[in-house]
Amino acid sequence: MTDSSVPLAEAGGRLLIDLQAISDNYAQLAARVAPAACAAVLKGDAYGTGLEPAATALWNAGARSFFVALLAEAKRLRDLLPQAEVFVLNGLFAGTEQVYDQYDLRPVLCSQDDVARWQDYCAGIGRPLPAALHVDTGMNRLGLSATEAIHLAEGRDEFRFPLALVMSHLACADEPDHPLTARQLEDFRAVAALFPGVRASLANSAGALGDKSLHFDMVRPGIALYGGRSRRDTPPLRPVVRLELRIVQVREVHEGETIGYGAAQTARRPSRIAVLAAGYADGIFRLAGASDGQPGAEVVIAGRRCPLAGRVSMDLMTVDVTDLPEEAVRPGDFATLIGEGIGVDELAGHARTIGYEVLTALGRRFHRRWV
Ligand SMILES: *Cc1c(COP(=O)(O)O)cnc(C)c1O
């Protein structure tokens, strides 16, 4: 599948998204957590890989429950997958109740106010519509407190809608043996026990790849499906994204001259510099650039790793190709920034961030192909 909005001949780079790898990663996780169900998180345009293609691949691989952050994403998903169970994580925004109803979507209720408004809506239309409940166990981001959950459970007979899921979110599962994970697990066990017969879900990717005790009835992986690292102690599953950037020019730089903005890097020898047609406007972080004191990210050209030289600019970046044979680097060739052994997490490390941010930042100016 190709997004023809940017023809390859006009694009500064091409982004190849391996849908088979997404399916394989799903199958691997689903097998690992069985008999727990494996849902899929599709927020952030499926972590930059494209909501529709990723959702189709995941549905075909057997996923039936999906999580997105926002209602707009959920509506797109519903148009694509009429049978899917779709949860919206960011809470029930006032005035959107009717949209959930119309599209058969499940709000993840995150506060007492959310619960009250859903109750009122269901009472008003005289139909009990299922919703999920998010209970906070130590993340301190979204969710009712444990005390609020207890109050709610005690008055449960008054519920005018069925609970489809009770969930919480792990803050530190990427760090094996972080003490907060054990505390959250214990608290979530107590929360889940308040709602017997309701499916329970705690684990993100790191939890799904962690101990079985974290799996409950359903796991909610995101990053692991898209080939990013989720735990310090576990290598990522199959890589999904490959990014190749167009070489627009190769130039000679004399020893002692500087390269790019801020004259941040000085040529220590007569050098050849390849100029690539992508930069921070495409989501390639400026922090991944190089300076005299600090090497930056690398790209692969003609099978060899080459270091960035100088800063990443808005639409361009520069690479030292002095060590490659002259005929190996020509304008019109492509340099691989993600792929050929360079993972999203390696690139993220050079930009002092995480694979999640690299994937979701990848811009819309690339030629995109789903294979
Ligand atoms: C993003 C998110 C997930 C998925 O997290 P990963 O670390 O990408 O697996 C699961 N649950 C909630 C509530 C989330 O916000």
mmCIF file of all heavy atoms in Angstrom, residues 41 43 47 67 89-90 134 141 167-169 202-206 220-224 230 356, ligand 1:
data_model
loop_
_atom_site.group_PDB
_atom_site.id
_atom_site.type_symbol
_atom_site.label_atom_id
_atom_site.label_comp_id
_atom_site.label_asym_id
_atom_site.label_seq_id
_atom_site.Cartn_x
_atom_site.Cartn_y
_atom_site.Cartn_z
ATOM 1 N N VAL A 41 -2.633 -1.074 21.084
ATOM 2 C CA VAL A 41 -2.741 0.372 21.272
ATOM 3 C C VAL A 41 -2.356 1.061 19.965
ATOM 4 O O VAL A 41 -1.299 0.781 19.393
ATOM 5 C CB VAL A 41 -1.848 0.841 22.448
ATOM 6 C CG1 VAL A 41 -1.935 2.352 22.610
ATOM 7 C CG2 VAL A 41 -2.280 0.149 23.742
ATOM 8 N N LYS A 43 -2.764 4.589 19.450
ATOM 9 C CA LYS A 43 -2.710 6.051 19.583
ATOM 10 C C LYS A 43 -1.517 6.606 18.794
ATOM 11 O O LYS A 43 -0.628 5.843 18.383
ATOM 12 C CB LYS A 43 -2.617 6.428 21.058
ATOM 13 C CG LYS A 43 -1.359 5.945 21.751
ATOM 14 C CD LYS A 43 -1.472 6.020 23.267
ATOM 15 C CE LYS A 43 -0.147 5.662 23.899
ATOM 16 N NZ LYS A 43 -0.266 5.475 25.360
ATOM 17 N N TYR A 47 1.618 4.878 16.588
ATOM 18 C CA TYR A 47 3.021 5.174 16.851
ATOM 19 C C TYR A 47 3.738 5.557 15.548
ATOM 20 O O TYR A 47 4.878 5.144 15.290
ATOM 21 C CB TYR A 47 3.719 3.993 17.530
ATOM 22 C CG TYR A 47 3.242 3.704 18.950
ATOM 23 C CD1 TYR A 47 1.889 3.525 19.220
ATOM 24 C CD2 TYR A 47 4.136 3.592 20.006
ATOM 25 C CE1 TYR A 47 1.443 3.259 20.511
ATOM 26 C CE2 TYR A 47 3.701 3.320 21.299
ATOM 27 C CZ TYR A 47 2.351 3.165 21.542
ATOM 28 O OH TYR A 47 1.914 2.891 22.825
ATOM 29 N N PHE A 67 -7.069 0.302 21.629
ATOM 30 C CA PHE A 67 -7.059 1.508 22.451
ATOM 31 C C PHE A 67 -6.486 2.662 21.638
ATOM 32 O O PHE A 67 -5.430 2.513 21.011
ATOM 33 C CB PHE A 67 -6.187 1.304 23.696
ATOM 34 C CG PHE A 67 -6.781 0.348 24.694
ATOM 35 C CD1 PHE A 67 -6.615 -1.029 24.537
ATOM 36 C CD2 PHE A 67 -7.503 0.810 25.783
ATOM 37 C CE1 PHE A 67 -7.160 -1.920 25.450
ATOM 38 C CE2 PHE A 67 -8.055 -0.083 26.696
ATOM 39 C CZ PHE A 67 -7.890 -1.438 26.531
ATOM 40 N N LEU A 89 -8.779 6.318 25.528
ATOM 41 C CA LEU A 89 -8.071 6.393 26.806
ATOM 42 C C LEU A 89 -8.166 7.743 27.516
ATOM 43 O O LEU A 89 -8.076 7.802 28.734
ATOM 44 C CB LEU A 89 -6.583 6.082 26.586
ATOM 45 C CG LEU A 89 -6.232 4.615 26.288
ATOM 46 C CD1 LEU A 89 -4.802 4.515 25.764
ATOM 47 C CD2 LEU A 89 -6.401 3.761 27.535
ATOM 48 N N ASN A 90 -8.282 8.837 26.772
ATOM 49 C CA ASN A 90 -8.073 10.140 27.409
ATOM 50 C C ASN A 90 -9.259 10.690 28.186
ATOM 51 O O ASN A 90 -9.275 11.863 28.528
ATOM 52 C CB ASN A 90 -7.596 11.166 26.375
ATOM 53 C CG ASN A 90 -6.097 11.074 26.140
ATOM 54 O OD1 ASN A 90 -5.449 10.154 26.628
ATOM 55 N ND2 ASN A 90 -5.537 12.009 25.405
ATOM 56 N N HIS A 134 -10.874 3.592 34.486
ATOM 57 C CA HIS A 134 -9.432 3.683 34.752
ATOM 58 C C HIS A 134 -9.237 4.056 36.224
ATOM 59 O O HIS A 134 -9.768 5.059 36.686
ATOM 60 C CB HIS A 134 -8.812 4.754 33.849
ATOM 61 C CG HIS A 134 -7.317 4.720 33.798
ATOM 62 N ND1 HIS A 134 -6.609 5.139 32.695
ATOM 63 C CD2 HIS A 134 -6.395 4.324 34.691
ATOM 64 C CE1 HIS A 134 -5.310 4.997 32.924
ATOM 65 N NE2 HIS A 134 -5.154 4.506 34.135
ATOM 66 N N ARG A 141 -1.557 10.025 36.819
ATOM 67 C CA ARG A 141 -1.845 10.707 35.566
ATOM 68 C C ARG A 141 -3.361 10.683 35.375
ATOM 69 O O ARG A 141 -4.028 11.620 35.750
ATOM 70 C CB ARG A 141 -1.069 10.027 34.429
ATOM 71 C CG ARG A 141 -0.943 10.872 33.196
ATOM 72 C CD ARG A 141 -0.106 10.214 32.115
ATOM 73 N NE ARG A 141 -0.672 8.963 31.646
ATOM 74 C CZ ARG A 141 -0.165 8.245 30.636
ATOM 75 N NH1 ARG A 141 0.931 8.655 30.020
ATOM 76 N NH2 ARG A 141 -0.738 7.125 30.248
ATOM 77 N N MET A 167 -9.241 -0.929 34.398
ATOM 78 C CA MET A 167 -7.821 -0.911 34.018
ATOM 79 C C MET A 167 -7.017 0.081 34.863
ATOM 80 O O MET A 167 -7.561 0.993 35.494
ATOM 81 C CB MET A 167 -7.660 -0.559 32.538
ATOM 82 C CG MET A 167 -8.253 0.778 32.114
ATOM 83 S SD MET A 167 -7.705 1.249 30.446
ATOM 84 C CE MET A 167 -6.146 2.057 30.861
ATOM 85 N N SER A 168 -5.707 -0.143 34.851
ATOM 86 C CA SER A 168 -4.772 0.819 35.414
ATOM 87 C C SER A 168 -3.523 0.785 34.538
ATOM 88 O O SER A 168 -3.453 0.005 33.579
ATOM 89 C CB SER A 168 -4.453 0.478 36.873
ATOM 90 O OG SER A 168 -3.742 1.544 37.467
ATOM 91 N N HIS A 169 -2.570 1.653 34.818
ATOM 92 C CA HIS A 169 -1.417 1.786 33.918
ATOM 93 C C HIS A 169 -0.121 1.771 34.727
ATOM 94 O O HIS A 169 -0.012 2.467 35.736
ATOM 95 C CB HIS A 169 -1.554 3.090 33.127
ATOM 96 C CG HIS A 169 -0.600 3.230 31.989
ATOM 97 N ND1 HIS A 169 -0.324 2.212 31.113
ATOM 98 C CD2 HIS A 169 0.128 4.291 31.574
ATOM 99 C CE1 HIS A 169 0.550 2.637 30.208
ATOM 100 N NE2 HIS A 169 0.841 3.889 30.464
ATOM 101 N N LEU A 202 -3.886 -4.361 33.148
ATOM 102 C CA LEU A 202 -2.865 -3.514 33.775
ATOM 103 C C LEU A 202 -1.671 -3.276 32.855
ATOM 104 O O LEU A 202 -1.075 -2.215 32.866
ATOM 105 C CB LEU A 202 -2.392 -4.188 35.076
ATOM 106 C CG LEU A 202 -1.268 -3.500 35.854
ATOM 107 C CD1 LEU A 202 -1.713 -2.124 36.350
ATOM 108 C CD2 LEU A 202 -0.821 -4.352 37.044
ATOM 109 N N ALA A 203 -1.306 -4.259 32.035
ATOM 110 C CA ALA A 203 0.016 -4.262 31.404
ATOM 111 C C ALA A 203 0.069 -3.522 30.068
ATOM 112 O O ALA A 203 -0.753 -3.737 29.187
ATOM 113 C CB ALA A 203 0.475 -5.703 31.195
ATOM 114 N N ASN A 204 1.080 -2.686 29.909
ATOM 115 C CA ASN A 204 1.516 -2.138 28.617
ATOM 116 C C ASN A 204 2.494 -3.157 28.002
ATOM 117 O O ASN A 204 2.568 -4.305 28.457
ATOM 118 C CB ASN A 204 2.180 -0.778 28.841
ATOM 119 C CG ASN A 204 3.252 -0.831 29.926
ATOM 120 O OD1 ASN A 204 3.571 -1.905 30.458
ATOM 121 N ND2 ASN A 204 3.795 0.314 30.267
ATOM 122 N N SER A 205 3.281 -2.742 27.000
ATOM 123 C CA SER A 205 4.241 -3.675 26.393
ATOM 124 C C SER A 205 5.198 -4.251 27.422
ATOM 125 O O SER A 205 5.446 -5.458 27.456
ATOM 126 C CB SER A 205 5.092 -2.964 25.323
ATOM 127 O OG SER A 205 4.299 -2.494 24.277
ATOM 128 N N ALA A 206 5.745 -3.368 28.247
ATOM 129 C CA ALA A 206 6.744 -3.819 29.225
ATOM 130 C C ALA A 206 6.133 -4.831 30.186
ATOM 131 O O ALA A 206 6.786 -5.806 30.573
ATOM 132 C CB ALA A 206 7.306 -2.619 29.984
ATOM 133 N N ARG A 220 -2.216 -4.529 27.021
ATOM 134 C CA ARG A 220 -2.401 -3.402 26.100
ATOM 135 C C ARG A 220 -1.062 -2.942 25.536
ATOM 136 O O ARG A 220 -0.603 -1.840 25.818
ATOM 137 C CB ARG A 220 -3.050 -2.209 26.823
ATOM 138 C CG ARG A 220 -4.309 -2.509 27.606
ATOM 139 C CD ARG A 220 -4.890 -1.218 28.170
ATOM 140 N NE ARG A 220 -3.919 -0.439 28.938
ATOM 141 C CZ ARG A 220 -3.715 -0.569 30.244
ATOM 142 N NH1 ARG A 220 -4.405 -1.435 30.961
ATOM 143 N NH2 ARG A 220 -2.806 0.178 30.842
ATOM 144 N N PRO A 221 -0.403 -3.760 24.718
ATOM 145 C CA PRO A 221 0.885 -3.327 24.185
ATOM 146 C C PRO A 221 0.728 -2.274 23.095
ATOM 147 O O PRO A 221 -0.223 -2.284 22.316
ATOM 148 C CB PRO A 221 1.465 -4.613 23.597
ATOM 149 C CG PRO A 221 0.274 -5.420 23.222
ATOM 150 C CD PRO A 221 -0.773 -5.106 24.266
ATOM 151 N N GLY A 222 1.689 -1.368 23.061
ATOM 152 C CA GLY A 222 1.814 -0.406 21.966
ATOM 153 C C GLY A 222 3.188 -0.561 21.339
ATOM 154 O O GLY A 222 3.371 -1.268 20.348
ATOM 155 N N ILE A 223 4.188 0.014 21.978
ATOM 156 C CA ILE A 223 5.530 0.139 21.377
ATOM 157 C C ILE A 223 6.094 -1.199 20.892
ATOM 158 O O ILE A 223 6.761 -1.253 19.849
ATOM 159 C CB ILE A 223 6.500 0.834 22.376
ATOM 160 C CG1 ILE A 223 7.814 1.219 21.701
ATOM 161 C CG2 ILE A 223 6.787 -0.032 23.590
ATOM 162 C CD1 ILE A 223 7.721 2.366 20.752
ATOM 163 N N ALA A 224 5.843 -2.281 21.623
ATOM 164 C CA ALA A 224 6.434 -3.571 21.228
ATOM 165 C C ALA A 224 5.902 -4.018 19.872
ATOM 166 O O ALA A 224 6.620 -4.650 19.087
ATOM 167 C CB ALA A 224 6.148 -4.636 22.290
ATOM 168 N N SER A 230 10.764 -1.881 24.883
ATOM 169 C CA SER A 230 9.878 -1.501 25.977
ATOM 170 C C SER A 230 10.487 -1.794 27.343
ATOM 171 O O SER A 230 10.050 -1.232 28.337
ATOM 172 C CB SER A 230 8.547 -2.244 25.870
ATOM 173 O OG SER A 230 8.740 -3.632 26.008
ATOM 174 N N TYR A 356 9.724 5.704 21.262
ATOM 175 C CA TYR A 356 8.338 6.175 21.109
ATOM 176 C C TYR A 356 8.313 7.552 20.437
ATOM 177 O O TYR A 356 7.490 7.829 19.570
ATOM 178 C CB TYR A 356 7.666 6.371 22.472
ATOM 179 C CG TYR A 356 7.472 5.185 23.370
ATOM 180 C CD1 TYR A 356 8.542 4.547 23.976
ATOM 181 C CD2 TYR A 356 6.189 4.742 23.674
ATOM 182 C CE1 TYR A 356 8.338 3.498 24.861
ATOM 183 C CE2 TYR A 356 5.980 3.694 24.554
ATOM 184 C CZ TYR A 356 7.064 3.071 25.154
ATOM 185 O OH TYR A 356 6.865 2.045 26.021
HETATM 186 C C1 LIG B 1 0.302 4.158 25.689
HETATM 187 C C2 LIG B 1 -0.414 3.280 26.623
HETATM 188 C C3 LIG B 1 -0.252 1.892 26.550
HETATM 189 C C4 LIG B 1 0.782 1.245 25.666
HETATM 190 O O1 LIG B 1 2.064 1.501 26.206
HETATM 191 P P1 LIG B 1 3.384 0.888 25.531
HETATM 192 O O2 LIG B 1 4.452 1.227 26.494
HETATM 193 O O3 LIG B 1 3.534 1.599 24.230
HETATM 194 O O4 LIG B 1 3.158 -0.546 25.357
HETATM 195 C C5 LIG B 1 -1.048 1.110 27.375
HETATM 196 N N1 LIG B 1 -1.946 1.670 28.224
HETATM 197 C C6 LIG B 1 -2.117 3.009 28.321
HETATM 198 C C7 LIG B 1 -3.092 3.546 29.286
HETATM 199 C C8 LIG B 1 -1.338 3.855 27.536
HETATM 200 O O5 LIG B 1 -1.484 5.185 27.656
#
